Short mmCIF file of all heavy atoms in Angstrom, two decimals:
data_model
loop_
_atom_site.label_atom_id
_atom_site.label_comp_id
_atom_site.label_asym_id
_atom_site.label_seq_id
_atom_site.Cartn_x
_atom_site.Cartn_y
_atom_site.Cartn_z
N TRP A 19 18.22 5.73 0.50
CA TRP A 19 18.13 7.10 -0.01
C TRP A 19 17.40 7.14 -1.35
O TRP A 19 17.38 6.16 -2.08
CB TRP A 19 19.53 7.69 -0.19
CG TRP A 19 20.27 7.87 1.10
CD1 TRP A 19 20.96 6.91 1.80
CD2 TRP A 19 20.39 9.07 1.87
NE1 TRP A 19 21.50 7.45 2.94
CE2 TRP A 19 21.17 8.77 3.02
CE3 TRP A 19 19.92 10.38 1.71
CZ2 TRP A 19 21.47 9.73 3.99
CZ3 TRP A 19 20.23 11.33 2.67
CH2 TRP A 19 21.00 11.01 3.80
N VAL A 20 16.81 8.29 -1.65
CA VAL A 20 16.21 8.53 -2.96
C VAL A 20 16.82 9.82 -3.51
O VAL A 20 17.01 10.79 -2.77
CB VAL A 20 14.67 8.60 -2.88
CG1 VAL A 20 14.20 9.60 -1.83
CG2 VAL A 20 14.05 8.93 -4.23
N LEU A 21 17.14 9.81 -4.80
CA LEU A 21 17.70 10.99 -5.47
C LEU A 21 16.54 11.81 -6.04
O LEU A 21 15.67 11.26 -6.71
CB LEU A 21 18.64 10.54 -6.59
CG LEU A 21 19.31 11.61 -7.45
CD1 LEU A 21 20.22 12.51 -6.61
CD2 LEU A 21 20.10 10.94 -8.58
N VAL A 22 16.51 13.12 -5.75
CA VAL A 22 15.42 13.98 -6.24
C VAL A 22 16.02 15.04 -7.16
O VAL A 22 17.01 15.68 -6.80
CB VAL A 22 14.67 14.64 -5.06
CG1 VAL A 22 13.45 15.40 -5.56
CG2 VAL A 22 14.26 13.60 -4.02
N SER A 23 15.41 15.21 -8.34
CA SER A 23 15.94 16.14 -9.34
C SER A 23 14.88 17.16 -9.74
O SER A 23 14.38 17.16 -10.87
CB SER A 23 16.39 15.35 -10.58
OG SER A 23 17.17 14.24 -10.21
N PRO A 24 14.51 18.06 -8.83
CA PRO A 24 13.37 18.97 -9.09
C PRO A 24 13.63 19.96 -10.21
O PRO A 24 12.68 20.46 -10.80
CB PRO A 24 13.18 19.69 -7.74
CG PRO A 24 14.48 19.56 -7.03
CD PRO A 24 15.12 18.30 -7.51
N HIS A 25 14.91 20.21 -10.52
CA HIS A 25 15.20 21.19 -11.58
C HIS A 25 14.76 20.67 -12.94
O HIS A 25 14.64 21.43 -13.88
CB HIS A 25 16.71 21.47 -11.62
CG HIS A 25 17.53 20.25 -11.87
ND1 HIS A 25 17.56 19.19 -10.98
CD2 HIS A 25 18.30 19.88 -12.92
CE1 HIS A 25 18.35 18.24 -11.47
NE2 HIS A 25 18.80 18.63 -12.64
N ARG A 26 14.51 19.34 -13.05
CA ARG A 26 14.11 18.80 -14.36
C ARG A 26 12.67 19.14 -14.69
O ARG A 26 12.28 19.14 -15.83
CB ARG A 26 14.30 17.29 -14.37
CG ARG A 26 15.76 16.91 -14.30
CD ARG A 26 16.07 15.77 -15.22
NE ARG A 26 15.44 14.54 -14.80
CZ ARG A 26 15.88 13.35 -15.19
NH1 ARG A 26 16.92 13.27 -16.00
NH2 ARG A 26 15.28 12.26 -14.80
N ALA A 228 9.38 9.75 -0.66
CA ALA A 228 8.63 8.99 -1.66
C ALA A 228 9.47 8.73 -2.90
O ALA A 228 10.22 9.61 -3.36
CB ALA A 228 7.37 9.76 -2.04
N VAL A 229 9.33 7.54 -3.46
CA VAL A 229 10.01 7.16 -4.69
C VAL A 229 9.07 7.32 -5.88
O VAL A 229 9.40 7.96 -6.88
CB VAL A 229 10.51 5.70 -4.61
CG1 VAL A 229 10.92 5.18 -5.99
CG2 VAL A 229 11.67 5.61 -3.61
N TRP A 230 7.87 6.75 -5.79
CA TRP A 230 6.91 6.84 -6.89
C TRP A 230 6.33 8.24 -6.91
O TRP A 230 6.16 8.88 -5.85
CB TRP A 230 5.82 5.78 -6.72
CG TRP A 230 6.40 4.41 -6.80
CD1 TRP A 230 6.83 3.64 -5.76
CD2 TRP A 230 6.70 3.69 -7.99
NE1 TRP A 230 7.36 2.47 -6.24
CE2 TRP A 230 7.30 2.47 -7.60
CE3 TRP A 230 6.52 3.94 -9.35
CZ2 TRP A 230 7.70 1.51 -8.53
CZ3 TRP A 230 6.92 2.99 -10.27
CH2 TRP A 230 7.51 1.79 -9.87
N PRO A 231 6.01 8.79 -8.11
CA PRO A 231 5.59 10.19 -8.21
C PRO A 231 4.47 10.55 -7.23
O PRO A 231 4.53 11.59 -6.56
CB PRO A 231 5.12 10.31 -9.66
CG PRO A 231 5.87 9.26 -10.41
CD PRO A 231 6.08 8.13 -9.44
N LYS A 312 6.06 5.79 -14.60
CA LYS A 312 7.45 5.79 -14.18
C LYS A 312 7.97 4.35 -14.21
O LYS A 312 7.28 3.43 -13.80
CB LYS A 312 7.54 6.34 -12.76
CG LYS A 312 8.94 6.24 -12.16
CD LYS A 312 8.95 6.74 -10.73
CE LYS A 312 10.34 6.62 -10.12
NZ LYS A 312 11.34 7.40 -10.86
N PHE A 313 9.20 4.21 -14.67
CA PHE A 313 9.89 2.92 -14.60
C PHE A 313 11.06 3.04 -13.64
O PHE A 313 11.75 4.06 -13.63
CB PHE A 313 10.41 2.50 -15.98
CG PHE A 313 9.31 2.11 -16.93
CD1 PHE A 313 8.79 3.04 -17.82
CD2 PHE A 313 8.80 0.82 -16.93
CE1 PHE A 313 7.77 2.68 -18.69
CE2 PHE A 313 7.79 0.46 -17.79
CZ PHE A 313 7.27 1.39 -18.68
N LEU A 314 11.26 2.04 -12.84
CA LEU A 314 12.45 2.01 -11.97
C LEU A 314 13.51 1.23 -12.72
O LEU A 314 13.56 0.00 -12.66
CB LEU A 314 12.12 1.35 -10.63
CG LEU A 314 11.42 2.23 -9.59
CD1 LEU A 314 10.95 1.41 -8.41
CD2 LEU A 314 12.33 3.35 -9.11
N PHE A 317 19.79 3.86 -13.55
CA PHE A 317 20.45 4.28 -12.31
C PHE A 317 19.70 3.73 -11.10
O PHE A 317 20.29 3.42 -10.07
CB PHE A 317 20.50 5.82 -12.24
CG PHE A 317 21.25 6.34 -11.05
CD1 PHE A 317 22.63 6.43 -11.07
CD2 PHE A 317 20.58 6.72 -9.89
CE1 PHE A 317 23.34 6.88 -9.96
CE2 PHE A 317 21.27 7.17 -8.78
CZ PHE A 317 22.66 7.25 -8.82
N GLU A 318 18.38 3.61 -11.25
CA GLU A 318 17.56 3.19 -10.11
C GLU A 318 17.76 1.72 -9.75
O GLU A 318 17.65 1.34 -8.59
CB GLU A 318 16.10 3.48 -10.42
CG GLU A 318 15.99 4.91 -10.94
CD GLU A 318 14.59 5.35 -11.17
OE1 GLU A 318 14.02 4.93 -12.19
OE2 GLU A 318 14.07 6.08 -10.34
N GLU A 322 20.31 4.02 -7.03
CA GLU A 322 19.21 4.19 -6.08
C GLU A 322 18.05 4.84 -6.81
O GLU A 322 18.22 5.41 -7.88
CB GLU A 322 19.65 5.03 -4.88
CG GLU A 322 19.99 6.47 -5.20
CD GLU A 322 20.69 7.18 -4.02
OE1 GLU A 322 21.19 6.50 -3.11
OE2 GLU A 322 20.74 8.42 -4.05
N PRO A 323 16.84 4.77 -6.21
CA PRO A 323 15.67 5.36 -6.87
C PRO A 323 15.84 6.86 -7.09
O PRO A 323 16.57 7.53 -6.35
CB PRO A 323 14.53 5.09 -5.89
CG PRO A 323 15.01 4.01 -5.00
CD PRO A 323 16.49 4.12 -4.94
N GLN A 324 15.15 7.38 -8.12
CA GLN A 324 15.24 8.80 -8.46
C GLN A 324 13.87 9.29 -8.86
O GLN A 324 13.08 8.55 -9.45
CB GLN A 324 16.25 8.97 -9.61
CG GLN A 324 16.52 10.40 -10.03
CD GLN A 324 15.55 10.90 -11.10
OE1 GLN A 324 14.85 10.13 -11.73
NE2 GLN A 324 15.52 12.22 -11.27
N ARG A 325 13.56 10.53 -8.54
CA ARG A 325 12.30 11.14 -8.98
C ARG A 325 12.57 12.58 -9.40
O ARG A 325 13.57 13.18 -8.98
CB ARG A 325 11.27 11.11 -7.87
CG ARG A 325 11.66 11.90 -6.63
CD ARG A 325 10.61 11.82 -5.54
NE ARG A 325 9.38 12.50 -5.90
CZ ARG A 325 8.15 12.00 -5.67
NH1 ARG A 325 8.01 10.83 -5.08
NH2 ARG A 325 7.08 12.67 -6.03
N ASP A 326 11.66 13.11 -10.24
CA ASP A 326 11.78 14.50 -10.67
C ASP A 326 10.85 15.39 -9.85
O ASP A 326 11.30 16.28 -9.15
CB ASP A 326 11.45 14.64 -12.16
CG ASP A 326 12.51 14.01 -13.05
OD1 ASP A 326 13.60 13.69 -12.54
OD2 ASP A 326 12.24 13.85 -14.25
N ILE A 327 9.54 15.15 -9.96
CA ILE A 327 8.61 16.03 -9.23
C ILE A 327 8.79 15.77 -7.74
O ILE A 327 8.99 14.64 -7.30
CB ILE A 327 7.14 15.84 -9.67
CG1 ILE A 327 6.53 14.57 -9.08
CG2 ILE A 327 7.00 15.84 -11.17
CD1 ILE A 327 5.02 14.58 -9.15
#
Side-chain angles (χ1 to χ4, degrees):
W19 294 81
V20 53
L21 178 62
V22 187
S23 313
H25 59 296
R26 293 221 292 201
V229 166
W230 296 93
K312 173 183 179 60
F313 289 95
L314 280 171
F317 184 82
E318 312 185 283
E322 66 191 17
Q324 183 271 345
R325 63 181 292 137
D326 290 347
I327 77 163

